[in-house]
Amino acid sequence: MAAQKAVRPAKEWYSVSVETLRGWALLLSMLAVVGLGYLGYRVWESRSLEREAARVLAEDQDLIQRLQKEERARSFGIEYNAALESFQAAQSLYSAGDHKGAIEKGRWSYNVLRSILDALALPGSAAGQAQFVNVQGEVEYRRGDGGDWIEARSRAFLRPGDFVRTSDRGSAEIMFQDGTLYTVRPNTQFIVSPAGSSAGGAEEQSIEMEYGWVDLSTAQRSSNVRTPGAVARVEQDSEAFVAVDKDSNQGRFGTLRGRVALSSKGGLTREIGELQQVVQTGDLLSDPQPLPGRPDPVEPEDNLALDLDRTKRLVLAWNPVNGASRYALQVSRNHLFVDNIIDAENRTKTRATLGLRGEGTFQWRVAAYGGEGALGPWSVPRKFRVASFRGGAGEKDDTPPQLDLEDVKSYGSIFIVAGRSEPGSRIEVNGELVKPEADGTFKKTVQLTKEGWSFIEVRARDGWGNETVRRHRVFVESP
């Protein structure tokens, strides 16, 4: 017999080369650095949102204290209580760590409180049913059927019967006294209707839309939008849009949050639920159709600062939306997204690479198209800032920023200060921070309590710490 081959015992250990160990150590180190970097970014982002939320709440608190001293504010009791309720909700969200929610609620409260304060600053006959909050590009309004068209400016009031129109490069935000916020898109015209009573007896604000597109967000009350072919009743605490084609009068009605009750001239009715839309053609209404969801931006982080001398490209990315066939992407210098730098509607990927060619503050947002071509809600805008060192990287700029006061309007003890500085500068009026537009323009309402001659001080500070100060002498009258 052949001798049996000896069987080697199984090894309980393995040899590993030094190079392999070094490779694993390098990989683990890289993973640790990436993990720490991501954790650091999340901490930075959270603290940035926390600071922004705290700033918004502080501004709200200041306006509330000023209105508490105004006996005439009682005439805006419903609006004031709605703003106060939103402010308290913002405080609760802030305490719970939901800083994004706190910012949203706080900004809505600020707009309502600011509108009340501005209304009190004007004579009774000058106050109206709504006022412009923000204006971008060519926006006009007209008093009734006659008269000339007037260039719209922030804080200008609108009364029942007034016409509003935007050009192909104009957009505006309009706040009604009941807290409904309208965003009027380009190429739109409508009439402010007198407030009417609902079935429950409460007053309802309404507009009569001739053509164009409006987005609206209601608060404590419902709001009506009349078009040539239908009437949309947007329920309270809802977000919706209404679009009317100028030539065919075909309408599109959509709900992004809450509910909309729609009725056509022919008597048909539809209930439009969240993320649904209905198309109106003549007296006919389609069945509710689904809208795609809202995309969620991934990168870059909000308020990212970039050095143009070192960075030439920037990647924008967002999470995919279920059922989306393509995406619309907009990049603009203003938050109303008018006269956009990029306005693409056929992106199939969930990322885009931008070439950076100039300085400024930019905002971007994205929306999804469904399989039937319906456009869903836009994402929450994100900002990024591009700046360049003057005279070479690292060389300090000693030139103070430009600062011009264009207008100071007086209403007794209240003054509206308007001006312009360099884009990206930090603006303060009497020590209060002002949020300027992308082009450097700013507007601020201040109240002075001491009667007689006084000064309004405006400061502009650039990224290098250079300051320019302007002082304007004013006479304060008792209210």
Side-chain angles (χ1 to χ4, degrees), residues 333-403:
R333 289 181 179 272
N334 58 82
H335 80 283
L336 293 180
F337 289 87
V338 179
D339 198 14
N340 298 323
I341 299 170
I342 294 177
D343 203 336
E345 295 185 343
N346 290 292
R347 299 205 60 86
T348 56
K349 297 181 179 180
T350 57
R351 59 194 297 113
T353 302
L354 305 183
L356 305 180
R357 299 179 181 177
E359 296 180 279
T361 300
F362 304 88
Q363 300 199 36
W364 70 279
R365 65 181 184 178
V366 62
Y369 280 96
E372 300 297 326
L375 180 65
W378 290 98
S379 65
V380 176
R382 284 195 176 186
K383 295 181 182 179
F384 62 91
R385 181 187 175 191
V386 182
S388 174
F389 292 112
R390 299 179 182 178
E395 183 177 335
K396 189 177 186 302
D397 171 23
D398 295 321
T399 305
Q402 169 195 355
L403 177 59

Side-chain angles (χ1 to χ4, degrees), residues 15 43 54 59 135 141 143 160 174 199 202 216 232 379:
S15 60
V43 171
E59 290 180 345
V135 176
Y141 66 97
R143 300 297 187 194
I174 298 175
L216 65 153
S379 65

